[in-house]
């Protein structure tokens, strides 16, 4: 049996509140390198907030999250965590790519220019290197013919694939996906999930918030069911999706049968 992959993401006791509203209530998890974890659960259960806390787009109120052994957005001083400056946090965040529901492409830039922006202006890559890398990434997501297209000229599925290529251009160790197909027409969902399957096959570590249960069953190493700010059930897809233990998980999954 091959040795287990080293942990890439480790969360311990993560808590997050908005005023009196407790959104994350003591979250613990570990994701090893090359693993895919899919998070399912009802709206308002804390799934998207958890993703945003992993890369410090949201501040946590307690606990810790480490990626590659390093705290993201914080440094430890004695027994307490101190928040980094935004510049330091942005530097630490480079190792984490994130793809949102709404694409968030720059409307005034072409597909190629959108993908090149991070390598050029954040990583300071030479123009030629950034261009060649970005073309290769767009080709890898099936958009080599759309280099000069602006977002308004692309379908939703194509825009989301540009967003994935843009995140990959930063050479992340971890990819986060926040319901990446929820804003797409049903016929466009498959093309985005296909790109994500390819990433998983190539060993990209991913944490994916999704309602696409077939994708989770086929691709995930772990499925987490979240409810009321907690991971109430977790395990391999065959266990969580086919033989859930918790009644709350069974009730949720019954809506998809």
């Amino acid at each position: 049996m091959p040795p287990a992959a080293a942990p890439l993401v480790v969360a311990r006791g993560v808590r997050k509140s908005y005023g009196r509203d407790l959104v994350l209530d003591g979250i613990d998890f570990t994701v090893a390198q090359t693993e895919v974890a899919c998070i399912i659960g009802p709206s308002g259960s804390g799934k998207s907030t958890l993703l945003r806390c992993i890369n410090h787009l949201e501040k946590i109120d307690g606990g810790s999250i480490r990626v590659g052994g390093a705290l993201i957005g914080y440094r430890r001083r004695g027994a307490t965590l101190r928040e980094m400056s935004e510049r330091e946090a942005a530097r630490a965040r480079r190792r984490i790519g994130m793809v949102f529901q709404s694409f968030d492409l720059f409307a005034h830039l072409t597909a190629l220019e959108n993908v090149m922006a991070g390598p050029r202006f954040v990583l300071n890559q030479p123009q030629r290197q950034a261009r060649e890398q970005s073309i290769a990434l767009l080709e890898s997501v099936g958009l080599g013919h759309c280099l000069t297209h602006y977002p308004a000229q692309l379908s939703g599925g194509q825009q989301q694939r540009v967003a994935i290529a843009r995140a990959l251009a930063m050479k992340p160790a971890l990819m986060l996906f926040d319901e990446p197909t929820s804003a797409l027409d049903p016929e466009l969902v498959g093309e985005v999930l296909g790109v994500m399957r390819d990433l998983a096959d190539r060993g990209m570590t991913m944490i994916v918030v999704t309602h696409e249960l077939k994708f989770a069953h086929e691709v995930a190493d772990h499925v987490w069911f979240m409810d009321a700010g907690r991971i109430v059930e977790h395990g391999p897809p065959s266990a969580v999706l086919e033989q859930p233990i918790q009644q709350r998980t069974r009730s949720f999954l019954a809506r998809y049968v």
Side-chain angles (χ1 to χ4, degrees):
M1 179 179 295
L8 181 65
V9 190
V10 179
R12 293 291 179 261
V14 176
R15 299 188 306 279
K16 172 68 180 179
S17 297
Y18 296 111
R20 295 183 179 180
D21 185 11
L22 181 61
V23 181
L24 299 178
D25 185 13
I27 298 288
D28 295 294
F29 66 81
T30 300
V31 179
Q33 294 181 40
T34 76
E35 287 186 334
V36 177
C38 284
I39 311 175
I40 63 172
S43 297
S45 58
K47 306 184 301 295
S48 294
T49 299
L50 177 57
L51 278 199
R52 293 175 66 86
C53 287
I54 292 172
N55 69 350
H56 198 60
L57 291 178
E58 295 283 354
K59 302 174 185 179
I60 61 176
D61 298 323
S64 65
I65 303 174
R66 294 180 180 271
V67 178
L71 296 166
I72 302 298
Y74 299 90
R75 61 167 53 87
R76 184 172 294 281
R77 291 184 179 176
T80 62
L81 296 181
R82 299 292 180 87
E83 190 174 6
M84 294 177 177
S85 69
E86 180 52 38
R87 176 176 292 184
E88 292 174 308
R91 188 179 301 117
R93 197 183 289 130
R94 291 178 191 172
R95 303 186 62 221
I96 305 171
M98 187 161 184
V99 176
F100 301 89
Q101 301 176 29
S102 55
F103 321 141
D104 293 332
L105 299 177
F106 297 114
H108 65 292
L109 299 181
T110 65
L112 179 58
E113 290 167 342
N114 264 280
V115 178
M116 287 178 61
R120 284 285 290 124
F121 303 116
V122 179
L123 300 182
N124 296 314
Q125 283 186 1
Q127 171 90 5
R128 181 175 178 178
Q129 179 184 352
R131 178 181 173 83
E132 290 176 352
Q133 172 189 282
S134 298
I135 291 173
L137 284 169
L138 285 167
E139 289 175 343
S140 76
V141 299
L143 294 176
H145 62 294
C146 296
L147 303 181
T148 60
H149 289 48
Y150 290 89
Q153 298 173 297
L154 301 171
S155 70
Q158 289 172 326
Q159 290 185 60
Q160 193 62 294
R161 285 186 280 158
V162 173
I164 292 171
R166 181 179 62 179
L168 292 173
M170 298 297 289
K171 302 182 185 298
L174 170 68
M175 284 286 288
L176 307 177
F177 292 87
D178 187 7
E179 299 195 35
T181 61
S182 65
L184 301 179
D185 292 333
E187 64 269 22
L188 301 178
V189 169
E191 62 189 54
V192 174
L193 295 181
V195 170
M196 294 169 64
R197 284 189 177 92
D198 289 343
L199 288 178
D201 289 343
R202 299 205 301 265
M204 174 61 71
T205 309
M206 303 192 294
I207 302 177
V208 183
V209 172
T210 185
H211 289 293
E212 300 290 339
L213 300 187
K214 182 179 179 182
F215 172 83
H217 198 291
E218 294 173 350
V219 176
D221 297 288
H222 310 284
V223 173
W224 310 337
F225 175 73
M226 286 189 67
D227 188 43
R230 296 182 178 182
I231 298 176
V232 299
E233 187 158 1
H234 62 89
S238 58
V240 176
L241 300 178
E242 296 178 17
Q243 297 178 314
I245 297 172
Q246 302 296 327
Q247 178 58 44
R248 184 67 186 90
T249 314
R250 293 198 294 269
S251 298
F252 176 82
L253 293 174
R255 298 186 301 173
Y256 293 87
V257 175

